Amino acid sequence: MADVVWATKTSETCDDDAVEAANERLGVIAGHLNAVNAELVDATVELLSSGAWQQGGKQTPSAFLQWRLGLSKARADDVVAVARRRADFPTLMGGFGRGELSLEQVAAAIEAPAWADALVYDFVKISTVGKIRRAMRSNMFEPDPDEPAPEPDAVHDRLSFGPTANGRWRINAELGIDDGRRIESALNERRDAMFTAGDEDVTWPEAFVECMERSLDVVESTARRDRFRTWLHLDVTDGEATTTDGWRIPMATRDRILCDGVVQPVWASDGVPFSVGRAQHIVPHRTRRIVERRDRGCRVPGCTADRFVEVHHIVHWQDGGATDTSNLVCVCPRHHKMHHQGQLGISGTADEFDGLVFTDERDRPIAGSGTPVLPTRPPPSPRVAYAPPLAGRFDWNWIGLGWVHPNARRKRIDEARRLSTRYRDAA
C-alpha cells in the first residue's frame, strides 16, 4: 500500500521539467533501440540469403537467433518475419531504418498486403502495437487491382499441448469442422454417460479426461502400455513429486495419486541412478526415465525440442559403450540422425552439467549460447527523433488504410439481408 501511495503522490507532484527530461531520455533510447533492431533485421536478411544460420544443425533461422543472441522465440520470429518481407515494404522499412518505428510495430504491420505499404506506414507511426494488430486482424484489405486474384491460403490443422508456467496443463487446437464435430460428439457421449452413471455435476474437462483414459485402457500390449505410462518421480527425502520432464506435481495431486496408484521405484546407488553397464544393449525403462528426467529435452545446444526425444549411446554399443546414465544422452530425432550421418559429434560424460562436447561436421565446438561482444562505440543513432504513438481511443469507423470501409461492409450485409427477406416473402 505504501508503494501505491508513493506512486500516486509522485505523479501528482512531479514537475514539468522532470517529465520533459524523462520523455526526452526515453525517446533517445527508443530511437537507438529501433536503429539497432533495424540493423539486426539487415543482418538477418544476409543470414537468410547466405544460409549462414544453419550453424550447429539449427532447424530454422529463428532457432539460430534464439541461440546466438539469447532472444525469446516470439522476438526471434518477429525478426525473421520482418527480414523475409523487407523488400515488400520499402516505405515502412525506410521509417524503421531511420528509427521512427519499433520492431514490434513493424512486425505487426507486415501482415498487410504489399500494395498498402505507404498507407500502413502513415497509420503505424501513430498507432500502438495493440491497435496495429487489431487493424491487421480485421482482414478487410481489398485485393490489388493490378494483380491477379491470389490463391486461397491452405488451411492446416494444428494442435498444441503441454505444461504451463503455473503448474497446470493446457491444450489448444484448430481442426476442420468435420473433425471438430466428431470430437464434440465424443465429449457429449462421455459427459452423458457419466451423468447417467450418477455424476450429476460432471464437467467438460472431466469428460475429456475420461475419453483419454478409455483410449489408454484399450491398449493390450504390456510393453506398449508401459511406454505411454505417466511416470511420477518421488523424492523420499522431502516428498516432492515431479514428472519425467521435471514439472512439479502439487501436493494435493501427489497425495491423490499415491493414495490410489501403483508406486514403482527407480533404484539408485550412492546417488547414482540405476545403470546396467554392458549387460543390456536396450535401455531399460527405469534408466530411460532417469535420463529423460535429467536432460529434460534434447541436449544439443540451442535445440528446444523437449518431447519425443531418443536416448543415444555417446560411445556406441558396438564400440564398447555401456548402458550407463553417464553414457546416455537425450537427443531429438533430427540431431540423432545428424550424429549418425557424421554431421554432429557428441562426446563426454552426460551425468555432469557441462560434461558434454558437441561439434559440427568440421569438428568445430558448438557453444551453449552466443557470446556478446562488449560494445566499444555508441549504438547507431536514429536519423529522426522517435515520436511515441497516440494513446487515445481510435474511431475505427473512420480509419481508412485502403481496405473496405466498415460502413460500406455493413451496408452490403444489410442489402444482402434485405434481398434474402424479399425472396423469402416472394416464395
Side-chain angles (χ1 to χ4, degrees), residues 2-258:
D3 291 340
V4 175
V5 174
W6 176 86
T8 303
K9 288 183 177 180
T10 301
S11 63
E12 293 176 351
T13 60
C14 185
D15 57 36
D16 294 340
D17 292 340
V19 171
E20 184 177 353
N23 290 341
E24 181 180 356
R25 182 182 182 188
L26 292 176
V28 171
I29 293 174
H32 283 306
L33 286 175
N34 297 345
V36 170
N37 283 325
E39 188 173 329
L40 173 58
V41 169
D42 291 342
T44 304
V45 172
E46 296 177 4
L47 287 173
L48 295 175
S49 61
S50 66
W53 59 268
Q54 297 173 340
Q55 303 174 36
K58 296 297 174 289
Q59 195 166 4
T60 64
S62 176
F64 173 78
L65 293 180
Q66 294 173 54
W67 166 65
R68 193 65 183 84
L69 301 179
L71 302 181
S72 67
K73 183 180 185 303
R75 190 167 183 82
D77 288 344
D78 284 347
V79 173
V80 174
V82 173
R84 291 190 187 280
R85 299 209 63 189
R86 188 183 67 164
D88 295 336
F89 295 90
T91 305
L92 189 69
M93 295 303 166
F96 183 34
R98 291 189 295 271
E100 297 175 354
L101 307 174
S102 69
L103 173 65
E104 288 77 6
Q105 286 175 303
V106 175
I110 59 172
E111 297 296 325
W115 63 263
D117 175 33
L119 295 170
V120 170
Y121 165 68
D122 291 335
F123 174 69
V124 168
K125 285 197 300 182
I126 62 171
S127 303
T128 61
V129 175
K131 289 187 174 69
I132 299 171
R133 288 175 177 167
R134 176 179 174 180
M136 300 303 112
R137 193 165 57 241
S138 299
N139 195 25
M140 297 172 66
F141 287 99
E142 294 175 330
D144 188 344
D146 299 327
E147 296 291 337
E151 294 292 331
D153 294 335
V155 179
H156 301 286
D157 295 342
R158 62 176 182 82
L159 187 147
S160 61
F161 52 87
T164 63
N166 61 354
R168 303 280 290 173
W169 186 90
R170 59 110 186 113
I171 184 170
N172 186 26
E174 183 176 328
L175 307 174
I177 187 66
D178 52 340
D179 292 334
R181 287 301 187 185
R182 294 203 335 250
I183 293 175
E184 285 186 21
S185 297
L187 289 172
N188 276 317
E189 186 278 330
R190 274 297 86 205
R191 190 166 183 261
D192 181 72
M194 296 173 70
F195 180 86
T196 304
D199 188 356
E200 297 182 356
D201 298 323
V202 59
T203 62
W204 288 115
E206 291 171 342
F208 178 79
V209 173
E210 177 72 8
C211 286
M212 302 303 104
E213 289 182 347
R214 286 169 63 87
S215 174
L216 292 174
D217 287 343
V218 300
V219 179
E220 297 180 356
S221 170
T222 303
R224 182 172 175 80
R225 183 176 299 175
D226 286 343
R227 180 181 178 186
F228 294 101
R229 189 186 300 273
T230 300
W231 293 77
L232 182 69
H233 295 256
L234 183 65
D235 191 321
V236 297
T237 304
D238 56 15
E240 183 179 72
T242 59
T243 60
T244 297
D245 52 358
W247 289 93
R248 185 177 179 274
I249 302 294
M251 294 180 61
T253 305
R254 177 206 63 186
D255 294 342
R256 176 173 56 82
I257 295 174
L258 295 179

